[in-house]
Amino acid sequence: MQKISYEQWNEEPQRRRDVLAVIAAAITLLVAFVLIMAVLFPPIKGEKTGVPVSRKISALNYPAAVTQTIGQPVGGRWTLPTSVATLGEATFVLDTGNNRILELDAENRLAATLDATIDERLDLRQPMAIATDGSRLFVANSLDGEIVILEPSGTVDGVMTLEGRPGDRTPRPIGLAIGTDGNLIVSDADNHRVLFLDADGHTVNSFGTGTRAGGSQGLNVPGGLAVDAAGYVYVVDTLNGRIVKLSAQGEFIRDFASLADTAGSLARPKGVAVDEKGRIFVSDGLQAAIEVFGPNGEYLGVIGRQDPSDPSAGSIFEAPFGLSLSGDTMMVVDGVLGVIELQLSEPRSSSGAGN
């Protein structure tokens, strides 16, 4: 083996830097690989860490059939759709990737693009949720910490800037619902609170500690929201993997489900909807499915199997997010596949749980 003198080694500083750069890059790639594997393939046993802890398949199927899939609107294109609202014959899809709202007609044709070209106040920055009170639209404009109120034409009626508390981060609304009193309920992801607003946009009640928490006191990144006919509020507690039920005044009632990807649990819940019988539908991004629960939290089954008779069949979804429910028709916004419309059927039994 040839010996290299100190002088020869010292004459090649660039080579040494290149070697060190390669070593650093290899270490970075190894760390990134380990982190990715920890998320995708977590241990079977462990504490709640914000990732699923097991990988089992539900054998209980909730009856639903796909009636149509809108991969892209006719005459238009969206990027990363996240939420949907219907108003009359029009369907409004939140095109989060392009910071705008696309209006579709009854034939799924692009009828209008609602953005700052219509009204400069409709300058959206990562909008995450859209809702309607039957006459107007409400948009959670997350990066600006505000709720934008607009007419179906795209004209802005007003902007509600969310109020923070001393020491809070700028509010980041990602969930939105209309209460039975007509006032807004908003999930503030960065401050881990659900805000109950009055007609002027002021916070009159809230739930959450302002930091990551759980149990009956707090939340860990609240997301989708839904309100039932009695006024109860259902909150997607994203990183706790559960649904929290609150009173119309923001008081804790109960919770159900837990963080995992077993039957009746939630891995990464996103959207929520409640039907007239009090059944709760939850979209799960990691499980690529809709999980269904009864009014008391009992597990009723999963929606999304390509073959409902085969528990191991693949999913019809890829990245289900926002949900909109009207009667027995559900619209699922999938960030990859577009908008999927489902016809729900009455389950054979609405009691019991399956694994």
Side-chain angles (χ1 to χ4, degrees), residues 60-63 279 298-301 346-353:
L60 190 58
N61 183 67
Y62 192 92
R279 290 175 291 221
E298 67 273 22
Y299 182 57
L300 301 182
E346 195 67 22
R348 292 181 181 178
S349 173
S350 59
S351 62

Side-chain angles (χ1 to χ4, degrees), residues 158-326:
V159 176
M160 294 179 175
T161 301
L162 298 179
E163 301 169 338
R165 298 182 183 181
D168 275 2
R169 302 174 66 180
T170 300
R172 183 167 67 92
I174 65 171
L176 185 62
I178 312 295
T180 52
D181 59 0
N183 289 330
L184 291 179
I185 305 164
V186 179
S187 59
D188 176 2
D190 281 0
N191 294 300
H192 310 286
R193 292 194 188 98
V194 173
L195 310 177
F196 294 75
L197 310 182
D198 63 17
D200 297 319
H202 301 301
T203 302
V204 292
N205 288 303
S206 66
F207 175 79
T209 63
T211 59
R212 299 179 189 273
S216 62
Q217 300 299 315
L219 302 162
N220 191 355
V221 187
L225 297 171
V227 178
D228 68 15
Y232 292 108
V233 180
Y234 299 82
V235 185
V236 172
D237 190 3
T238 308
L239 295 188
N240 284 329
R242 63 175 182 163
I243 299 298
V244 174
K245 182 177 180 180
L246 304 175
S247 72
Q249 291 74 41
E251 300 162 329
F252 180 86
I253 303 294
R254 60 160 299 162
D255 63 355
F256 56 88
S258 60
L259 185 67
D261 57 1
T262 58
S265 61
L266 298 169
R268 191 67 84 246
K270 296 293 185 179
V272 62
V274 185
D275 72 8
E276 58 188 14
K277 293 188 176 181
R279 290 175 291 221
I280 302 104
F281 301 79
V282 185
S283 61
D284 193 308
L286 280 185
Q287 299 195 72
I290 308 297
E291 302 287 351
V292 189
F293 301 87
N296 295 317
E298 67 273 22
Y299 182 57
L300 301 182
V302 62
I303 297 173
R305 262 187 224 125
Q306 292 177 354
D307 180 357
S309 64
D310 181 3
S312 64
S315 178
I316 63 173
F317 305 115
E318 289 196 28
F321 202 95
L323 302 178
S324 177
L325 183 58
S326 177

Side-chain angles (χ1 to χ4, degrees), residues 83-101:
S83 185
V84 63
T86 56
L87 191 54
E89 294 294 318
T91 299
F92 296 88
V93 179
L94 204 56
D95 182 10
T96 297
N98 291 312
N99 293 312
R100 61 187 183 178
I101 304 162

Side-chain angles (χ1 to χ4, degrees), residues 101-123:
I101 304 162
L102 300 186
E103 178 189 351
L104 310 186
D105 65 16
E107 303 300 323
N108 300 326
R109 294 175 300 213
L110 180 64
T113 299
L114 311 185
D115 58 17
T117 62
I118 293 177
D119 189 317
E120 63 182 10
R121 292 172 296 174
L122 194 56
D123 184 16

